[in-house]
Amino acid sequence: MLVRKIADIRYIVVDSEQDAFLLENNLIKKYRPHYNVALKDDKTFPWICIKNEPFPRIYSTTNMWMDDGSVYFGPYANVKLMHTLMDLARQLYPLRNATSTLRTKTLRQEIQSLSRISFREL
């Protein structure tokens, strides 16, 4: 019965079994196929988001289909690895945390937190 309803078959080659599971999860979330009910829940793997803002911020999210020009990396099945990568990115690049706002700090405090350099060192 289901075979008669097949209109097209496509396949994607991936490097590992884990990549295949992550891809399957994302495609089911995106296209919501009628006959696949196993992965239609709201649970999904987290992504790293770097917002497209004048002072970019980095945070983890499970909603990666926002069309706002942000850059997304993932998905990550290992959340500990994702947090390690986010910490590394914060050390290497001057990115804000998702919770920090520019309004609550003075310009000097914001520049200091972004550059990770003490003004006394300058």
Side-chain angles (χ1 to χ4, degrees):
M1 175 100 168
L2 292 178
V3 176
R4 286 188 225 149
K5 295 188 176 191
I6 295 174
D8 187 18
I9 295 178
R10 298 178 191 175
Y11 64 92
I12 301 172
V13 178
V14 294
D15 294 331
S16 68
E17 186 176 5
Q18 183 177 7
D19 289 344
F21 287 134
L22 293 172
L23 178 63
E24 177 187 19
N25 180 52
N26 288 332
L27 290 175
I28 289 172
K29 301 287 188 232
K30 185 175 182 179
Y31 294 111
R32 297 221 170 262
H34 179 72
Y35 295 105
N36 191 331
V37 295
L39 294 173
K40 281 188 176 180
D41 60 5
D42 291 336
K43 297 175 187 167
T44 187
F45 293 104
W47 293 71
I48 293 175
C49 176
I50 300 178
K51 292 297 280 185
N52 183 19
E53 299 173 334
F55 296 101
R57 57 192 164 116
I58 184 171
Y59 62 94
S60 64
T61 182
T62 55
N63 184 10
M64 68 151 282
W65 289 284
M66 296 173 60
D67 190 21
D68 59 357
S70 298
V71 179
Y72 294 91
F73 300 95
Y76 293 94
N78 185 340
V79 177
K80 185 176 180 179
L81 173 65
M82 180 194 67
H83 286 293
T84 302
L85 291 172
M86 287 175 54
D87 290 341
L88 178 64
R90 285 185 186 111
Q91 289 174 6
L92 296 175
Y93 303 103
L95 299 169
R96 291 189 301 142
N97 293 328
T99 57
S100 67
T101 62
L102 296 175
R103 292 183 210 119
T104 60
K105 298 180 178 181
T106 66
L107 180 59
R108 179 181 205 144
Q109 290 170 329
E110 187 63 30
I111 292 171
Q112 185 175 6
S113 68
L114 287 175
S115 65
R116 307 278 196 255
I117 298 172
S118 170
F119 276 94
R120 293 183 183 150
E121 294 176 30
L122 298 176

